[in-house]
């Protein structure tokens, strides 16, 4: 889907959920990994307040 400074985003198909998803791959550079961890924390905080999961990007693990 795209490529940037921190890595790239791939469009994939989740066979289990039968839907298109985006997977973000972060380059293995310490400062980029730190930024990714901050992004993960931020998305988790947003998700706690997004009832129904319809207003923001969802993070799955």
């Amino acid at each position: 889907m795209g490529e940037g400074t921190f890595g790239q985003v791939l469009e994939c198909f989740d066979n289990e959920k039968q839907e298109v998803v985006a997977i973000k791959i972060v380059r293995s550079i310490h400062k980029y990994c730190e930024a990714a961890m901050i992004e993960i924390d931020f998305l988790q905080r947003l998700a706690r307040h997004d009832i129904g999961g319809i207003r923001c990007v969802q993070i799955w693990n």
Side-chain angles (χ1 to χ4, degrees), residues 19-58:
E19 62 187 11
V20 176
V21 298
I23 296 178
K24 188 171 192 176
I25 302 171
V26 178
R27 289 190 174 96
S28 183
I29 297 174
H30 182 70
K31 67 180 179 176
Y32 296 166
C33 292
E34 285 181 344
M37 296 306 292
I38 292 168
E39 183 178 10
I40 289 168
D41 181 56
F42 182 75
L43 288 171
Q44 288 174 334
R45 288 175 188 228
L46 281 176
R48 283 195 289 268
H49 299 285
D50 185 14
I51 307 304
I54 58 172
R55 295 190 190 128
C56 68
V57 172
Q58 297 297 304

Side-chain angles (χ1 to χ4, degrees), residues 2-20:
E3 188 169 338
T5 303
F6 298 124
Q8 57 186 313
V9 177
L10 305 175
E11 181 178 338
C12 301
F13 188 77
D14 183 337
N15 289 321
E16 194 172 298
K17 295 186 183 214
Q18 297 295 304
E19 62 187 11
V20 176

